[in-house]
């Protein structure tokens, strides 16, 4: 009886975690649609040169790829995949404070933008392998294809809505008003 009860609690905890993962994916899609997808356009609005935009595109991705290699070490340091993923996601969200600051202060220097974007990519990329193995463990006894198809359809739907909403918000704004709208988007993304 005790064993059956423990399995039932585990099944309830698993079901709850899977529902929360869908919610997490939806929030990730909002972040993607309100900020990450528009960071290149934001760099153009701030007046960065093509060389700077190239650096803003490549250096954070390289740093993120290298950070992903350290994912196992990060899990060891934090003691669990869950803790590591939560801390990484929180740091990725906090990087939006930097993007917001760039927008509202009209800061056009490359260094702070590059720093915030590297923080964004490193924190997000580092947690990818840990999240993947955590989800593999969590979905061990499920029809994974069906679960991830359901989760992905919700995430993609939210992404389309957030991209469209962000695009509409930015449409027609010029100068300082446009930078203010980017600031709003970065707060929503955070």
């Amino acid at each position: 009886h005790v064993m059956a009860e423990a399995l039932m609690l585990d099944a309830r905890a698993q079901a709850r975690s899977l529902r929360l993962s869908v919610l997490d994916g939806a929030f990730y899609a909002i972040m993607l649609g309100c900020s990450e997808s528009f960071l290149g356009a934001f760099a153009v609005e701030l007046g960065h040169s093509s060389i700077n935009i190239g650096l803003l595109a490549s250096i954070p991705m390289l740093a993120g790829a290298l950070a992903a290699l350290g994912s196992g070490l990060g899990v060891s340091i934090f003691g669990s995949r869950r803790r590591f993923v939560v801390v990484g996601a929180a740091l990725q969200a906090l990087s939006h404070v930097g993007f917001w600051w760039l927008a509202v202060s009209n800061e056009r220097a490359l260094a702070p933008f590059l720093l915030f974007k590297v923080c964004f990519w490193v924190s997000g990329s580092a947690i990818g392998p840990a999240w993947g193995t955590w989800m593999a463990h969590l979905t061990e006894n499920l029809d994974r294809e069906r679960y991830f198809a359901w989760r992905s359809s919700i995430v993609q739907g939210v992404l389309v809505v957030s991209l469209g909403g962000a695009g509409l918000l930015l449409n027609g704004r010029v100068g300082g008003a446009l930078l203010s709208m980017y600031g709003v988007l970065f707060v929503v993304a955070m």
Side-chain angles (χ1 to χ4, degrees), residues 27 30-31 34-35 96 162 169 182-190:
F27 282 122
I30 292 169
M31 179 195 67
C34 288
S35 75
H96 286 86
S162 65
L169 189 66
Y182 275 110
V184 168
L185 291 178
F186 296 142
V187 168
V188 169
M190 184 176 56

Side-chain angles (χ1 to χ4, degrees), residues 19-36:
R19 283 191 309 273
L20 289 173
S21 176
V22 173
L23 185 62
D24 169 62
F27 282 122
Y28 175 80
I30 292 169
M31 179 195 67
L32 189 66
C34 288
S35 75
E36 185 179 342

Side-chain angles (χ1 to χ4, degrees), residues 44-48 52 102 105-113 175 179:
V44 169
E45 181 60 29
L46 289 175
H48 286 283
N52 284 1
L102 292 172
S105 69
N106 198 11
E107 176 59 55
R108 294 173 184 267
L110 174 64
F113 196 170
L179 289 178

Side-chain angles (χ1 to χ4, degrees), residues 74-167:
V75 171
S76 295
I77 290 169
F78 285 91
S80 76
R81 291 181 198 118
R82 177 182 173 196
R83 238 179 264 133
F84 181 61
V85 169
V86 168
V87 167
L91 290 174
Q92 192 174 41
L94 286 175
S95 67
H96 286 86
V97 173
F99 297 141
W100 169 83
W101 174 76
L102 292 172
V104 299
S105 69
N106 198 11
E107 176 59 55
R108 294 173 184 267
L110 174 64
F113 196 170
L114 188 58
L115 174 68
F116 300 136
K117 197 160 179 200
V118 165
C119 290
F120 176 82
W121 274 94
V122 164
S123 57
S125 297
I127 64 176
W131 182 88
T133 55
W134 182 18
M135 288 304 294
H137 176 72
L138 190 59
T139 59
E140 235 171 359
N141 302 319
L142 290 181
D143 179 356
R144 287 181 173 150
E145 291 81 10
R146 186 174 185 170
Y147 171 74
F148 282 109
W150 174 64
R151 184 183 187 279
S152 293
S153 65
I154 291 172
V155 169
Q156 294 303 313
V158 171
L159 178 59
V160 166
V161 170
S162 65
L163 278 168

